[in-house]
Amino acid sequence: MLFDIATKHQRASQEAECVICRGERWSYGKVHTWAKALSAFLQDRGVTRVAFYIANSPKLIALLLAADRIGLEAVLLHREFPLDEVHRYLFDLDIETCLTDANVDEGPRLVAVPEYETLVSNPLWPETFEYAQSSSKVLLLTTGTTGRPKTVVHSWASLAGPIRREESYRDSRWLLAYDLTRFAGIQVFLQAFVNGGVICIPAGRTVGEVIDTMLRERISHVSATPTFWWRLLFESSRKLRQALPLVQLTLGGEAAPQTLLDALRSNFPQARITHTYASTEAGFCFASSDGIEGYSLEVLENNLRRVRIRIVNGELWISSPYAMQGYFGSSLHQEEWTATGDLVEVKKGRLIILGRAGDCINVGGNKVFPTQVEGEIRRVAGVRDVRAYGQRSSLVGQVVKAEVVPENGVDTAKLKEEILHYCRQRLQPYQVPRIIEFVEHIPISDGGKVVRRD
Amino acid sequence: MSTVEEVVRSTLKEVLESKGTSGDIVLEEESPLADVGLDSLDWAVVVISLEQRLGVDPFSQQTEYDIPNTIREFIYFYVHSVTNANSQR
């Protein structure tokens, strides 16, 4: 199905831009040609499952298309995994061929991706070769900030099912702020690709480099984590932000707090701002563009995408036609309901995401949600970034600890007092951070989320 | 090097000060812990800080000593714990 989409787009226009990466421009025609050549190359390996250990690039996109064309299972391994972890996955998932752009010794399993010129000038199979009917699958690792990731099996149809198809999206230019090996990255890729839009891979990960790419490539659509958006707001000037021609801002992967939605609204008054709820297992679930924290229950009940919700002991459960087929290794019989691991509450007719059940801090039997504490601390002037988590205590189980990145030149002793003073007014005594430490940066997982662990 | 007693006292003083209570408060030896003006979470913070500074958390392990009720007992609770830990090294 993925390959067929490329075929359709390149028929409509060979030259239409598909991927932009470090100044290189790949048209739908060129990506399609490379994917055809790569599918012959993969077919030649004679495997049914293949892993890709490759950074965001046109190469990786062409390989996804190629694997889909010949009905392979494609396992996506994050390029920042250390090599021994990669080998462990290859062993655990029984993968004989792993294509990589890493500069490592090729072995029986690790294989370098052939370059476009080499492959296309010397095709392995004639154009007319008949390929098996596609039964392609995508295997993604979960981005949990704790524990060992699970391997989730999806089909391209379940991944692309909820993608909005609109004629106007043909001109959309998307920033790929996520990694393509992750569910969120695949969603952004599909949103652009299905509609024939452009995918731009930023030159680097710093806010400066990302903004550079956004300005140079006239990025109109950006989907990223709240953590990313906070960084963008803190690390760029208002003037620079006003120069960004953004049409659509999307927040996903973590709960989007009201403070952030308000800040984005005032900084990007012309843009549509959407926060989404999705998970690797449950797939895309729902979105809201009204600028209010949470999701209107009324809208959820009339959900056109046929996603249903249920709350069990405070935890959100999802039933969705776009959910995974199952975990790798277990029977792929799809359960109707998936537990999300997210705790929620219903307030004023809206479903509010409180945070990961595993991130919840237990203070003497009281539940504290890090996002709530972080939200209050962020309101204090002089605070640049923050994370809250539970510090183990032999007396009360856990107490709330906050790590704060101060603005440059701020008197931290005074800031600490102000944070405490503010929190005492706004929070229950057990929610107030009892330990505040000033740090230089907050650790972020390779899925772009805050790691709320000691 | 400061003694265990000094570390315990200064930690208590810091936590009291962070609550806006005067740091000059006299920590009388016989004062019941209940009267010091710290709630259970403050005590949790005291214990966490002391674990960082002294390397022991006597509340997390079995001990032959009773749970302390006064400042003096609290200090000695830590003195014993540090002594024990040192003798086991």
Side-chain angles (χ1 to χ4, degrees):
Chain A
M1 93 145 266
L2 201 59
F3 184 79
D4 299 337
I5 294 171
T7 308
K8 193 187 82 188
H9 288 322
Q10 62 91 29
R11 273 195 195 128
S13 164
Q14 275 288 324
E15 298 308 316
E17 279 183 322
C18 176
V19 197
I20 297 170
C21 182
R22 295 174 201 280
E24 271 188 60
R25 284 156 203 282
W26 289 74
S27 66
Y28 274 94
K30 194 171 174 187
V31 170
H32 186 255
T33 307
W34 199 9
K36 274 201 296 192
L38 282 168
S39 60
F41 172 81
L42 288 173
Q43 181 89 1
D44 202 37
R45 306 281 311 180
V47 293
T48 56
R49 190 176 299 135
V50 62
F52 301 143
Y53 176 51
I54 301 173
N56 281 354
S57 58
K59 203 176 263 187
L60 181 51
I61 290 174
L63 276 169
L64 291 175
L65 268 57
D68 172 63
R69 186 189 193 197
I70 57 173
L72 297 187
E73 292 181 4
V75 182
L76 305 185
L77 299 176
H78 196 276
R79 183 61 168 75
E80 283 178 18
F81 286 164
L83 210 52
D84 55 346
E85 205 174 327
V86 170
H87 280 291
R88 211 173 57 216
Y89 280 115
L90 297 185
F91 180 80
D92 288 352
L93 302 175
D94 193 18
I95 298 163
E96 284 169 26
T97 296
C98 173
L99 290 167
T100 183
D101 61 352
N103 191 13
V104 292
D105 285 341
E106 287 193 39
R109 292 192 188 205
L110 280 176
V111 180
V113 188
E115 293 300 326
Y116 176 85
E117 288 74 17
T118 329
L119 210 53
V120 172
S121 61
N122 186 17
L124 285 164
W125 297 94
E127 187 77 358
T128 52
F129 185 82
E130 287 288 325
Y131 289 100
Q133 219 29 27
S134 174
S135 59
S136 66
K137 287 187 172 65
V138 190
L139 276 61
L140 296 163
L141 299 175
T142 54
T143 54
T145 43
T146 53
R148 191 153 152 64
K150 294 182 189 137
T151 311
V152 169
V153 183
H154 269 286
S155 69
W156 283 111
S158 68
L159 291 165
I163 297 295
R164 286 163 61 121
R165 291 164 170 82
E166 279 178 31
E167 197 51 41
S168 65
Y169 279 158
R170 185 175 293 276
D171 303 322
S172 59
R173 303 176 68 81
W174 290 80
L175 180 81
L176 188 59
Y178 291 108
D179 202 90
L180 259 177
T181 59
R182 301 301 198 185
F183 175 81
I186 290 290
Q187 285 294 299
V188 173
F189 160 65
L190 285 172
Q191 187 65 65
F193 187 78
V194 166
N195 286 290
V198 183
I199 301 132
C200 296
I201 299 169
R205 276 171 143 213
T206 66
V207 169
E209 288 165 319
V210 170
I211 289 191
D212 252 17
T213 303
M214 287 166 76
L215 285 171
R216 199 177 50 242
E217 300 299 344
R218 304 180 324 291
I219 298 292
S220 57
H221 292 62
V222 179
S223 174
T225 56
T227 301
F228 170 95
W229 289 112
W230 281 121
R231 277 179 59 209
L232 185 89
L233 290 175
F234 281 127
E235 296 179 28
S236 64
S237 68
R238 184 170 269 268
K239 197 167 156 237
L240 207 53
R241 293 197 291 274
Q242 278 168 350
L244 298 172
L246 287 177
V247 175
Q248 168 75 50
L249 278 70
T250 307
L251 296 81
E254 300 168 298
Q258 190 64 49
T259 36
L260 178 57
L261 292 172
D262 292 346
L264 289 172
R265 167 58 54 228
S266 79
N267 274 278
F268 302 102
Q270 78 291 352
R272 184 176 133 112
I273 299 171
T274 307
H275 52 288
T276 63
Y277 184 84
S279 79
T280 311
E281 287 99 327
F284 179 88
C285 298
F286 33 81
S288 170
S289 302
D290 57 10
I292 309 171
E293 188 177 14
Y295 306 86
S296 158
L297 283 181
E298 201 182 329
V299 173
L300 291 188
E301 273 153 26
N302 300 316
N303 195 309
L304 297 175
R305 291 182 167 117
R306 295 179 293 135
V307 174
R308 288 179 298 149
I309 68 163
R310 180 191 278 176
I311 301 172
V312 183
N313 292 331
E315 183 181 2
L316 181 66
W317 288 60
I318 296 278
S319 165
S320 162
Y322 314 118
M324 63 174 176
Q325 297 183 336
Y327 291 111
F328 178 83
S330 62
S331 75
L332 291 189
H333 156 74
Q334 191 181 328
E335 297 288 333
E336 192 188 350
W337 289 90
T338 309
T340 61
D342 281 320
L343 297 174
V344 296
E345 67 178 357
V346 174
K347 218 159 86 184
K348 293 180 191 153
R350 291 183 81 85
L351 180 77
I352 308 285
I353 313 292
L354 297 168
R356 303 292 300 161
D359 283 350
C360 187
I361 307 167
N362 187 331
V363 182
N366 295 299
K367 277 184 186 170
V368 180
F369 294 98
T371 45
Q372 191 184 358
V373 178
E374 289 166 5
E376 297 300 344
I377 294 176
R378 274 188 203 283
R379 291 172 197 263
V380 180
V383 173
R384 182 179 187 136
D385 203 356
V386 58
R387 70 164 174 166
Y389 59 91
Q391 161 84 51
R392 188 188 55 79
S393 160
S394 49
L395 296 187
V396 295
Q398 287 179 301
V399 295
V400 180
K401 176 172 175 178
E403 286 181 359
V404 175
V405 181
E407 298 275 18
N408 288 338
V410 167
D411 175 354
T412 51
K414 211 164 143 243
L415 182 59
K416 186 171 174 174
E417 260 175 47
E418 282 163 5
I419 291 170
L420 281 172
H421 181 72
Y422 189 78
C423 287
R424 284 184 187 128
Q425 287 179 328
R426 311 261 312 184
L427 297 169
Q428 296 294 320
Y430 62 85
Q431 295 173 314
V432 174
R434 297 298 170 130
I435 304 172
I436 298 179
E437 256 180 39
F438 290 98
V439 296
E440 277 178 21
H441 73 280
I442 301 292
I444 296 171
S445 75
D446 57 30
K449 304 176 192 180
V450 173
V451 181
R452 291 192 183 83
R453 281 296 178 282
D454 206 350
Chain B
M1 219 177 85
S2 36
T3 65
V4 173
E5 171 163 3
E6 281 162 4
V7 174
V8 174
R9 281 187 179 277
S10 67
T11 303
L12 281 169
K13 209 172 132 187
E14 274 170 37
V15 175
L16 278 166
E17 277 174 351
S18 77
K19 296 196 59 154
T21 316
S22 163
D24 295 331
I25 189 159
V26 183
L27 292 168
E28 293 283 355
E29 297 257 308
E30 296 308 325
S31 304
L33 295 182
D35 292 352
V36 173
L38 297 178
D39 65 21
S40 62
L41 288 180
D42 297 324
W43 283 109
V45 172
V46 169
V47 171
I48 289 166
S49 314
L50 285 173
E51 185 177 5
Q52 279 163 1
R53 289 172 194 190
L54 297 173
V56 295
D57 176 3
F59 291 93
S60 69
Q61 51 207 220
Q62 283 206 320
T63 157
E64 61 204 277
Y65 298 97
D66 279 343
I67 294 298
N69 290 120
T70 64
I71 291 290
R72 192 224 306 270
E73 287 170 8
F74 188 78
I75 291 167
Y76 277 91
F77 202 50
Y78 273 90
V79 171
H80 289 305
S81 182
V82 171
T83 314
N84 267 336
N86 286 340
S87 68
Q88 280 168 19
R89 262 168 213 150

